[in-house]
Amino acid sequence: MHHDLVIRGGTVIDGRGVPAFRADIAVDSGHIVAVGALEDAAGEREVDASGLIVAPGFIDVHTHDDRALLDGDMAAKASQGVTTVVAGNCGVSLAPFRPDGRPPPPMDLLGGEGDYRFPTFASYLEALDARCPVVNGLFLVGHQTLRVQHVEDLERPADATEIAAMRAGVEQAMQAGAVGVSTGLFYPPSRAAPTDEVVALAEAAAPWGGLYATHMRDEGTYLEESVAESLEIGRRAGVAVVLSHHKASGVANHGKTARSLPMVEAAAAEQQVSLDVYPYAMSSTVLLPDRLAESTRVLVTWSAPYPEVAGRDLSDIAAEHGVSDEEMALRLLPAGAIYFAMSEDDVQRVLRFPHAMIGSDGLPHDPRPHPRLWGTFPRVLGHYSRTLGLMPLEEAVRRMTSLPADRFGLDGRGVIEAGAVADLCLFDPETVIDRASFENPMTPADGIHVVFVAGEAVWEDGATTGARPGRALRRARPIPAR
Ligand code: ZN
Ligand code: CU
């Protein structure tokens, strides 16, 4: 038999968590057509995978790649074996939004003036269709994106008219193919939104089988209350829940994931709830001068008025200027930062949690990004699975593939079997490791050999190939709420 692509002699980890096995893989027209001993098969292209793991391409469930998919080469993700990203997280989606001038923080995570340019969710997806991204994208519509446009005074709850306008935005996005709605209740533009406002928005996604993904109101002092609120929103609106980048933030709150995870586990018997995590004890977002006290160290990732300070400690910059850290933070705005505010014990406890998916939360437009942007997936495989033995390699791969495919309705992805889309990652299990550090955050990982999207190589020999076989994915089926 002649095929477009034959991958020979690899060890297959099929994504379901079952033990690895030896098999060849044949691909035609972007799909896997055979898995097994394929001695008689010949390929237009043949790849020798001996000594390598052949896994489904990884699904990065928590990203801010809305604009990077359009404008970027996605090397940060392709280099890790990621073939699908979920964007529109933390309440921040690039569409629908076309502001005059600079968008307010944290909307500026995705770009500055002129970068938000899509008046409708459908027009954004169509632009992606026309551009063809390097990897696939699946999209949430953001509550903050809708709130900054429709709520007159962000310091108060939305009134009935404003809620109706935001619900119409959710409905249009769902109609266009969004997978659900996200919030970032922690951030100033949505802090004043009460639970009822969010339920109203999530309800608007429910008839389409959309899900609710949330950067919760509080990930520190009120972690458990915030988990309870998120679960309540899912139950009342009748939608599945994804808790974003689960963590316990602030020295006083270390250890609290030992209480939040059992809440999630107990709720999972009644409703569909999952969470994602990135494998680092440091967080990163916009610079928030009123949140400095939680962290033992704050690194500046960018600053509009002081671009030269990117990559430096806030305390050092403040000392040079002879002002307090808070005052310096105010002077640097708008800006971004990395916060040293978590404990390694909590990170490992969340990583071990069986419903935990992997999401990088990388910020692709930061000039000195958190290393999670380039390092998340190889770090889980190399550091947490191989070196620390937190979980077997097959289980680590399951958290990156079939589990998120199931939770986000990506049927036909996240597994290696005949009929599945040929999104594949070939990596060396002995050498795979993240190389991105705080000093050199934009460094590709080691050990990721070839990455295929729909049977076309997008990452090979340590570089992107220039191919753009990715798709703007539309929600394929309703996500069950329980
Ligand atoms: Zn977030
Ligand atoms: Cu995020």
Side-chain angles (χ1 to χ4, degrees):
M1 277 290 282
H2 200 83
H3 300 284
D4 293 349
L5 168 68
V6 175
I7 299 169
R8 269 184 216 292
T11 299
V12 172
I13 292 184
D14 75 0
R16 293 192 178 82
V18 300
F21 56 93
R22 290 293 296 271
D24 309 322
I25 293 174
V27 172
D28 279 316
S29 306
H31 288 75
I32 297 169
V33 292
V35 180
L38 306 174
E39 291 91 357
D40 300 337
E44 190 64 36
R45 172 161 190 208
E46 304 229 351
V47 174
D48 177 11
S50 33
L52 302 179
I53 298 292
V54 184
F58 307 138
I59 299 170
D60 187 348
V61 297
H62 190 105
T63 83
H64 297 283
D65 289 334
D66 307 49
R67 183 163 72 89
L69 281 165
L70 270 172
D71 302 345
D73 67 0
M74 295 300 289
K77 297 302 166 70
S79 64
Q80 299 183 55
V82 170
T83 55
T84 299
V85 300
V86 180
N89 275 286
C90 298
V92 178
S93 57
L94 195 65
F97 193 26
R98 207 168 38 179
D100 306 323
R102 196 184 166 85
M107 312 295 296
D108 54 357
L109 287 177
L110 292 184
E113 191 156 354
D115 289 326
Y116 282 85
R117 54 192 189 270
F118 300 102
T120 63
F121 210 82
S123 64
Y124 166 63
L125 293 178
E126 282 155 19
L128 269 173
D129 290 340
R131 177 73 177 104
C132 288
V134 174
V135 302
N136 308 300
L138 182 70
F139 305 92
L140 297 154
V141 62
H143 172 224
Q144 301 200 78
T145 295
L146 296 169
R147 202 169 204 273
V148 299
Q149 296 171 77
H150 296 298
V151 179
E152 171 105 34
D153 175 3
L154 294 171
E155 306 287 313
R156 60 154 172 77
D159 64 26
T161 316
E162 293 162 346
I163 286 180
M166 289 192 285
R167 282 178 62 116
V170 170
E171 283 162 12
Q172 280 166 21
M174 295 305 297
Q175 197 148 25
V179 71
V181 45
S182 76
T183 59
L185 297 175
F186 163 80
Y187 290 102
S190 43
R191 274 181 202 162
T195 306
D196 287 352
E197 177 181 323
V198 183
V199 170
L201 259 69
E203 267 173 3
W208 278 273
L211 57 75
Y212 173 60
T214 180
H215 178 158
M216 300 189 298
R217 209 175 279 284
D218 192 290
E219 297 179 319
T221 312
Y222 300 104
L223 176 62
E224 292 155 85
E225 289 84 348
S226 296
V227 170
E229 180 188 33
S230 307
L231 295 170
E232 179 194 334
I233 291 164
R235 281 195 307 274
R236 285 175 56 194
V239 296
V241 176
V242 178
L243 307 179
S244 298
H245 41 60
H246 199 61
K247 64 169 83 71
S249 191
V251 179
N253 305 306
H254 289 177
K256 278 194 177 172
T257 61
R259 300 211 289 275
S260 62
L261 293 174
M263 291 174 68
V264 175
E265 183 67 62
E270 314 277 315
Q271 64 187 111
Q272 197 188 112
V273 53
S274 40
L275 54 84
D276 59 73
V277 59
Y278 52 78
Y280 298 86
M282 309 83 184
S283 62
S284 183
T285 184
V286 286
L287 181 59
L288 297 158
D290 59 334
R291 311 292 301 204
L292 302 177
E294 288 173 12
S295 303
T296 52
R297 184 181 169 201
V298 175
L299 268 178
V300 177
T301 51
W302 60 274
S303 163
Y306 296 87
E308 68 281 4
V309 304
R312 299 189 55 206
D313 269 67
L314 175 65
S315 302
D316 295 344
I317 308 165
E320 266 174 33
H321 287 246
V323 297
S324 70
D325 287 10
E326 285 72 14
E327 173 56 30
M328 194 66 235
L330 286 167
R331 291 187 191 179
L332 294 179
L333 294 180
I338 291 167
Y339 303 88
F340 290 64
M342 286 177 252
S343 84
E344 180 64 23
D345 280 358
D346 281 307
V347 172
Q348 294 194 15
R349 189 178 296 114
V350 180
L351 280 168
R352 282 194 306 262
F353 187 63
H355 306 297
M357 303 177 283
I358 308 302
S360 69
D361 202 9
L363 300 173
H365 311 294
D366 285 8
R368 294 274 306 193
H370 186 303
R372 68 194 184 190
L373 176 65
W374 287 78
T376 289
F377 289 79
R379 183 169 171 80
V380 171
L381 298 171
H383 180 63
Y384 285 105
S385 173
R386 183 184 62 232
T387 305
L388 299 187
L390 224 58
M391 62 189 109
L393 193 57
E394 288 88 341
E395 175 63 8
V397 169
R398 184 185 73 86
R399 310 293 199 74
M400 304 170 175
T401 57
S402 74
L403 179 63
D406 174 59
R407 296 306 165 102
F408 284 85
L410 292 166
D411 299 347
R413 297 181 195 269
V415 288
I416 291 182
E417 65 181 10
V421 177
D423 292 347
L424 299 165
C425 172
L426 276 56
F427 67 93
D428 184 336
E430 304 300 326
T431 62
V432 65
I433 196 73
D434 57 302
R435 288 281 171 223
S437 62
F438 289 95
E439 294 70 37
N440 293 298
M442 295 162 80
T443 311
D446 279 350
I448 305 288
H449 284 236
V450 196
V451 181
F452 294 97
V453 171
E456 258 193 80
V458 295
W459 179 264
E460 192 168 8
D461 300 326
T464 49
T465 62
R468 301 186 76 92
R471 297 263 180 283
L473 303 176
R474 272 65 167 185
R475 179 191 68 263
R477 62 158 164 88
I479 314 296
R482 44 184 304 149

